[in-house]
Amino acid sequence: MSDYDAIIVGAGPAGSTTARRAAQAGLRVVLVDKAKFPRDKPCAGGIRHFVTELLDFDPKETLHRRISGLALFSPSGFRVDCVPQDRSKPGYTVMREQFDNLLFQKAVEAGAETKEETRITKVDQQLDRVVATTSENETISAKFIVGADGINSIVAKELGFYRGWEGKTAGVAIEMEAEVGASKVREICGEPGGYDAELLLLWFGDLPNGYIWCFPKRSVLSLGAWCRQDITQDIRGTFNKWFAKFKAQYSIDPEIVSDSGARFPIVPAEEIAKGRALLVGDAAGFVDAFTGEGIPYAIHSGIVAGSVLKDAVKDPRLLSNYREQCRKTIISDLMVSSSMASLFYKRTKNMETLCQFFRDDSYANYLIAALLGGLLTPKAVKTKLTRRIVRKRPGAAVSLLV
Ligand SMILES: Cc1cc2nc3c(=O)[nH]c(=O)nc-3n(C[C@H](O)[C@H](O)[C@H](O)COP(=O)(O)OP(=O)(O)OC[C@H]3O[C@@H](n4cnc5c(N)ncnc54)[C@H](O)[C@@H]3O)c2cc1C
């Protein structure tokens, strides 16, 4: 006899969503995290409108700024603003400590049991159940286990899904929060033209595969840089040089309230459902290789996992449906982003050519804005952008590939 229907290891967006959905379906679930909530997590905290559509509650108490679009800075230094005319689907920024805590509380509210400050160190799969062992040597058993424990997933490693994220399969990021005051946030990130919304600012070209960012929160800026881990050279030094110029440009000398770093995967894991286990969120490699976003996919995979677990408690063979459902939705979007990333980040010249195209061609600019605004899918944007550049700038299109 197992203690639970499912053990969910990790209570980030992926784990808390899985736990909420499974508990709502009547399953006995336990959500285990090594941290005590509220806990922080290094993150720029940008979320698309789509995230608010996925949630079955209103996260408005945790939303800091309304985001209408992007300001892209090309390697040579010009700026291109991509803002959709249709402002019905703004993005938002959040502080992860607040946002993740809300998701965690929503899992509790739905009936999930929780164990905080509990690190899972061992997972053993038996014929009819899984047994997880904690660092205190306690055991928890369940019919199923879900690895929602991020890039260093112990569930994935213990159950032989993969060994780790090496070479070009992961990105490395540094992130700091700088207190500048609400009016400075507005001055730096406010959308030109007097609209009551902010932009996410991205600088390309300083790093070979990634970007430097400035995202607005209420009175704080999230500033950071990410790069594919196998080709990054001195990300901290590159960021510091950029930061010195940024501070001079805006006449600021902010208090740094946090400064940390983390890695994230940028390739979906080959196996995400096996035996009595599922992987969700970062543990499954569900992060966009172009933008570095993982929150939408963490929540989406949690929703799929919750629904699959509901069926699997009646028939364990149905657990494998998770693979197919993720393939059709999350993985197919991530593959499109990955191919866009390969072309965009191939070399600095490609980043410059594409930024020029987004600046000079209003339809291409609209497509980038619509992608951010969730008005078009990544697949639709990729197809339309490819056709557009081939038709309007055939020379540039060829130069991107060679
Ligand atoms: C610097 C940075 C900036 C980012 N910016 C953005 C952004 O702007 N927008 C966006 O969409 N995405 C962003 N991401 C990606 C995003 O943070 C992740 O994709 C997202 O957090 C994944 O959620 P998750 O629930 O899978 O994992 P996590 O949020 O990493 O949660 C995993 C949880 O598992 C717990 N855990 C780990 N191991 C164990 C264990 N052995 N036992 C018990 N508990 C354990 C941890 O304590 C943690 O709470 C960024 C990432 C980084 C590093």
Side-chain angles (χ1 to χ4, degrees), residues 9-15 32-35 39 41-46 96 118-120 148-150 154 173 175 213 215 262 264 280-282 287 292-296 298:
V9 184
V32 184
D33 202 293
K34 63 184 182 189
R39 66 100 177 88
K41 143 104 200 153
C43 184
R96 288 294 298 274
T118 305
R119 179 190 291 272
I120 299 299
D149 43 351
I154 188 81
E175 196 261 343
W213 74 79
F215 285 13
F264 54 86
V280 290
D282 278 15
V287 180
E293 289 168 280
I295 299 169

Side-chain angles (χ1 to χ4, degrees), residues 91-351:
Y92 299 97
T93 55
V94 297
M95 294 292 245
R96 288 294 298 274
E97 190 171 339
Q98 298 160 356
F99 183 71
D100 287 19
N101 193 45
L102 176 67
L103 267 58
F104 180 74
Q105 297 307 334
K106 288 289 173 185
V108 175
E109 190 183 285
E113 237 181 78
T114 59
K115 286 185 195 288
E116 296 173 69
E117 298 178 282
T118 305
R119 179 190 291 272
I120 299 299
T121 53
K122 195 167 168 285
V123 181
D124 183 26
Q125 181 161 294
Q126 300 170 358
L127 200 59
D128 59 344
R129 61 184 189 152
V130 274
V131 179
T133 307
T134 73
S135 51
E136 303 292 312
N137 231 9
E138 285 166 18
T139 56
I140 313 169
S141 68
K143 292 184 186 133
F144 302 102
I145 192 161
V146 177
D149 43 351
I151 184 160
N152 298 314
S153 173
I154 188 81
V155 175
K157 285 178 196 155
E158 284 283 294
L159 296 179
F161 280 86
Y162 51 74
R163 285 211 312 260
W165 301 91
E166 282 156 15
K168 57 171 132 178
T169 64
V172 59
I174 53 169
E175 196 261 343
M176 61 165 66
E177 276 153 17
E179 177 65 55
V180 294
S183 60
K184 236 356 175 188
V185 170
R186 177 91 193 123
E187 180 194 325
I188 296 170
C189 299
E191 187 193 331
Y195 287 102
D196 182 22
E198 268 68 38
L199 304 180
L200 303 180
L201 277 44
L202 311 177
W203 284 259
F204 295 104
D206 292 313
L207 292 156
N209 186 131
Y211 53 80
I212 292 177
W213 74 79
C214 169
F215 285 13
K217 310 290 172 74
R218 274 186 205 119
S219 68
V220 160
L221 295 173
S222 162
L223 305 167
W226 82 272
C227 187
R228 221 174 70 196
Q229 66 182 3
D230 57 318
I231 48 175
T232 186
Q233 297 159 350
D234 192 16
I235 191 167
R236 174 65 68 180
T238 305
F239 175 80
N240 285 348
K241 261 194 235 155
W242 171 88
F243 190 37
K245 280 196 271 172
F246 181 78
K247 284 193 287 189
Q249 185 184 349
Y250 290 104
S251 311
I252 50 171
D253 187 15
E255 183 197 346
I256 305 304
V257 286
S258 72
D259 188 348
S260 53
R263 292 191 313 138
F264 54 86
I266 49 173
V267 176
E270 273 175 29
E271 196 53 274
I272 54 170
K274 194 159 85 159
R276 295 184 163 267
L278 299 179
L279 302 180
V280 290
D282 278 15
F286 290 165
V287 180
D288 188 309
F290 190 28
T291 63
E293 289 168 280
I295 299 169
Y297 307 104
I299 293 174
H300 196 171
S301 58
I303 293 170
V304 177
S307 133
V308 167
L309 284 170
K310 182 180 97 184
D311 299 333
V313 284
K314 292 175 215 130
D315 179 353
R317 287 171 304 180
L318 297 178
L319 202 72
S320 61
N321 287 348
Y322 177 70
R323 198 178 299 130
E324 201 41 40
Q325 290 190 34
C326 288
R327 218 164 257 162
K328 278 197 215 137
T329 52
I330 299 166
I331 297 175
S332 74
D333 275 1
L334 291 175
M335 297 323 282
V336 172
S337 287
S338 172
S339 67
M340 284 165 74
S342 314
L343 193 67
F344 186 81
Y345 295 125
K346 191 171 175 190
R347 54 178 173 239
T348 311
K349 191 167 153 284
N350 281 21
M351 300 182 212

